[in-house]
Amino acid sequence: MTSTSSLQDANTSSLDAFRALDPEAYLSTFTNSNTRPTGRPLHTTRPTTILPSILSRNTHGSSLVKIGNTQVLTGITLLVGHPGPLTPTHGDVDLSINLSPLSSQDYNVAGRLLPIVTEGEMSRSRTTSPRGYVDVHALESLVQRILRTSSLLNPNELCIQVGLSAWRVQITCMVLNHDGNLEDACLLGAVSALLDLKLPAVKIDMKGGGNGVVQIVSPSYDHEEDDMTEETKDANRITKLTIQKGTIPISLTMGIYDNHKILVDMT
């Protein structure tokens, strides 16, 4: 047993040395056989899992997405906003992505890469991360642009009162573990949370002849609706909105290695 263990340790050390001295040749030994160092074929993705409604208490839609060891927790909260003058029937969708020390030891609480500190030298900014540098703003812009152009959510369905009020959907993606390919994971998290989205009923108080104050109705309010008089119902109009989901966008990130090898889910 001891000799077998020692032999395995020696082989591991030899592979580590080979990878450190000539990383290109090390990778080529695997890619020539259409596999990766982990044994996963170049054309396959890591196992993907989607758990919807993971945060049912404090959100109106949520999901937990796992692609391999990459994990993204997504929650949707709602605000009532005022639609723009050019789009009086449109609501809005806003998205943010958060990286933290929970996702990787390379990031600080602000989501920025930590500096490298070497002995005898002043600290310098890290230019590469083990899983690649992630520009959070660029990633947010990419995911939000895909959501808006895919017609997954019709902005007209977010209207409460034409020209007066509409839903502002806030999507928050929290990266729990960054093990590569955040583009696919964050988009899948945002899409699955939107598919889980349920817009609540609202109470529009029209007393005084004003524009109406919009309030989210508690679940017990629905049972009291039958007991209202017609005058009370008119003064407290209840609007329940449903959304029609359009095309569901799904991304698959690929790359090219050595000018001819196609890698799916580049990790």
Side-chain angles (χ1 to χ4, degrees):
M1 293 294 294
T2 304
S3 60
T4 302
S5 177
S6 300
L7 181 60
Q8 290 176 345
D9 292 341
N11 290 336
T12 302
S13 299
S14 298
L15 286 174
D16 291 341
F18 182 27
R19 178 172 54 187
L21 293 173
D22 195 346
E24 185 174 348
Y26 171 80
L27 289 175
S28 295
T29 58
F30 296 96
T31 57
N32 289 337
S33 301
N34 291 321
T35 60
R36 312 176 200 222
T38 59
R40 177 161 57 99
L42 300 182
H43 63 278
T44 61
T45 63
R46 294 170 293 172
T48 301
T49 304
I50 304 174
L51 300 176
S53 303
I54 198 74
L55 298 173
S56 58
R57 180 181 294 271
N58 298 318
T59 66
H60 295 277
S62 61
S63 69
L64 175 63
V65 168
K66 300 178 182 179
I67 301 181
N69 290 326
T70 296
Q71 299 183 35
V72 178
L73 179 66
T74 304
I76 294 179
T77 54
L78 297 172
L79 293 174
V80 177
H82 194 284
L86 298 180
T87 53
T89 62
H90 284 198
D92 193 20
V93 177
D94 189 32
L95 178 135
S96 63
I97 298 173
N98 299 322
L99 284 160
S100 71
L102 288 176
S103 60
S104 171
Q105 62 183 359
D106 297 323
Y107 294 90
N108 61 18
V109 293
R112 297 185 178 89
L113 285 170
L114 291 171
I116 298 176
V117 180
T118 57
E119 186 177 355
E121 296 182 5
M122 296 183 63
S123 64
R124 65 182 188 276
S125 297
R126 182 188 296 270
T127 56
T128 58
S129 175
R131 288 300 179 185
Y133 172 73
V134 176
D135 187 335
V136 176
H137 298 296
L139 182 57
E140 289 175 346
S141 178
L142 171 67
V143 175
Q144 189 156 335
R145 186 168 62 251
I146 293 175
L147 292 177
R148 288 180 173 175
T149 58
S150 66
S151 301
L152 173 65
L153 192 62
N154 185 350
N156 290 305
E157 297 294 336
L158 301 177
C159 178
I160 300 175
Q161 293 175 288
V162 177
L164 298 177
S165 57
W167 289 114
R168 183 175 181 84
V169 179
Q170 295 185 312
I171 307 172
T172 302
C173 297
M174 175 68 71
V175 180
L176 301 182
N177 189 42
H178 173 25
D179 195 40
N181 198 3
L182 285 183
E183 294 83 0
D184 291 355
C186 289
L187 177 61
L188 189 57
V191 169
S192 55
L194 281 172
L195 293 176
D196 187 53
L197 173 63
K198 302 175 185 65
L199 295 179
V202 294
K203 170 185 174 182
I204 304 175
D205 190 351
M206 302 299 294
K207 290 182 179 179
N211 293 332
V213 178
V214 179
Q215 297 176 334
I216 294 178
V217 179
S218 64
S220 61
Y221 192 91
D222 296 335
H223 301 291
E224 300 170 2
E225 184 179 357
D226 295 333
D227 301 329
M228 292 182 183
T229 64
E230 292 299 323
E231 182 180 358
T232 304
K233 288 182 179 180
D234 185 62
N236 301 277
R237 290 184 295 176
I238 297 176
T239 304
K240 293 183 179 180
L241 300 180
T242 58
I243 57 174
Q244 303 296 325
K245 280 82 174 182
T247 304
I248 300 177
I250 299 295
S251 67
L252 180 62
T253 301
M254 296 183 290
I256 298 178
Y257 176 76
D258 198 22
N259 294 325
H260 65 285
K261 296 287 186 179
I262 298 178
L263 282 76
V264 176
D265 185 16
M266 299 181 296
T267 56

